[in-house]
Amino acid sequence: DVKVTQSSRYLVKRTGEKVFLECVQDMDHENMFWYRQDPGLGLRLIYFSYDVKMKEKGDIPEGYSVSREKKERFSLILESASTNQTSMYLCASSLPPYREWGYTFGSGTRLTVV
Amino acid sequence: AQSVTQLDSHVSVSEGTPVLLRCNYSSSYSPSLFWYVQHPNKGLQLLLKYTSAATLVKGINGFEAEFKKSETSFHLTKPSAHMSDAAEYFCVVSRIYNQGGKLIFGQGTELSVKP
């Protein structure tokens, strides 16, 4: 069974901390994505990656960065966490073309910044 | 530009009655459309997808959706709701962007099922 694994289900961090959210997929997918999910706003794309060391900004990249050093791992970094980054974070991966396959999602990381 | 609108933020049905979750899309080309389901504190799971083959698409757990180009709709239906169907449902459209397509998510419809 294919899997996208997010390392933490729940995280509590302090304002100003540097936060790393990790995502690993075992499907050899080229494409990986980070979304945040907030009530009433649905899913919003933060960053995505088409290949190793390749990244592109999504719709709300401010305050975030990403790293993809290996094909199977895509990390989301909050350089200096703020309370408005409290959210559910979802990682996804896909074979191209997305319009054919859709995405496979991880179970999510619920981050609280205090 | 592509977009998707879920017409109801919350739908409540009784167990055993039909489910209808409404979705309209906007696309300048022939889209791919998906429905995903998210149970509480879980990730999203693909229910079904339309990729320009048959307009009536059958998915998992008895759900189906019909692509209607003339109405730009892709409504999700199920003949008989089960308690386990209570979840949030997302309608999704693909878009073309730079090197490939990405998916655009609707804002979600929360389905409640009463005993």
Side-chain angles (χ1 to χ4, degrees):
Chain A
D1 198 14
V2 296
K3 275 190 120 172
V4 176
T5 302
Q6 294 183 234
S7 55
S8 305
R9 290 299 307 275
Y10 300 94
L11 275 179
V12 180
K13 297 292 182 180
R14 296 193 179 278
T15 301
E17 275 193 77
K18 190 169 186 176
V19 180
F20 292 85
L21 302 184
E22 304 288 345
C23 176
V24 177
Q25 51 98 359
D26 65 0
M27 298 166 283
D28 202 33
H29 284 175
E30 285 90 348
N31 309 300
M32 297 187 75
F33 307 84
W34 275 106
Y35 285 85
R36 64 177 284 175
Q37 182 179 18
D38 300 288
L41 297 177
L43 274 72
R44 294 179 291 168
L45 181 63
I46 305 171
Y47 266 97
F48 59 101
S49 170
Y50 287 106
D51 204 348
V52 175
K53 295 190 185 296
M54 185 279 177
K55 60 187 179 186
E56 287 198 25
K57 294 179 180 179
D59 300 314
I60 52 163
E62 296 78 19
Y64 303 94
S65 62
V66 290
S67 173
R68 192 156 181 213
E69 296 296 318
K70 294 185 178 181
K71 189 175 186 179
E72 66 270 18
R73 186 179 297 271
F74 192 37
S75 302
L76 180 69
I77 304 159
L78 285 66
E79 297 290 344
S80 177
S82 64
T83 55
N84 62 12
Q85 293 178 309
T86 291
S87 186
M88 169 72 95
Y89 289 87
L90 292 165
C91 176
S93 72
S94 176
L95 281 170
Y98 327 114
R99 57 187 290 118
E100 178 67 28
W101 299 109
Y103 295 169
T104 300
F105 280 89
S107 297
T109 296
R110 188 167 294 279
L111 173 67
T112 302
V113 182
V114 299
Chain B
Q2 289 72 44
S3 65
V4 61
T5 302
Q6 293 184 242
L7 299 173
D8 307 290
S9 59
H10 191 191
V11 170
S12 182
V13 301
S14 297
E15 191 174 22
T17 64
V19 175
L20 170 63
L21 305 183
R22 300 182 295 164
C23 173
N24 286 348
Y25 70 91
S26 170
S27 179
S28 56
Y29 66 100
S30 181
S32 291
L33 293 155
F34 307 80
W35 276 98
Y36 280 83
V37 61
Q38 184 181 33
H39 289 93
N41 296 313
K42 301 280 188 178
L44 278 72
Q45 179 185 18
L46 181 64
L47 266 182
L48 50 81
K49 62 182 179 181
Y50 165 77
T51 56
S52 75
T55 56
L56 183 61
V57 182
K58 294 187 183 300
I60 61 173
N61 300 333
F63 284 94
E64 62 182 38
E66 186 171 7
F67 174 71
K68 291 187 176 181
K69 186 175 182 179
S70 60
E71 298 176 11
T72 62
S73 69
F74 190 57
H75 301 334
L76 182 70
T77 61
K78 183 173 181 178
S80 176
H82 191 273
M83 295 296 291
S84 61
D85 295 328
E88 189 155 22
Y89 292 79
F90 292 92
C91 183
V92 182
V93 66
S94 63
R95 67 179 173 184
I96 296 297
Y97 182 81
N98 289 352
Q99 297 181 24
K102 296 198 315 293
L103 302 184
I104 301 172
F105 288 77
Q107 294 189 347
T109 298
E110 186 177 353
L111 176 65
S112 300
V113 182
K114 297 175 288 187

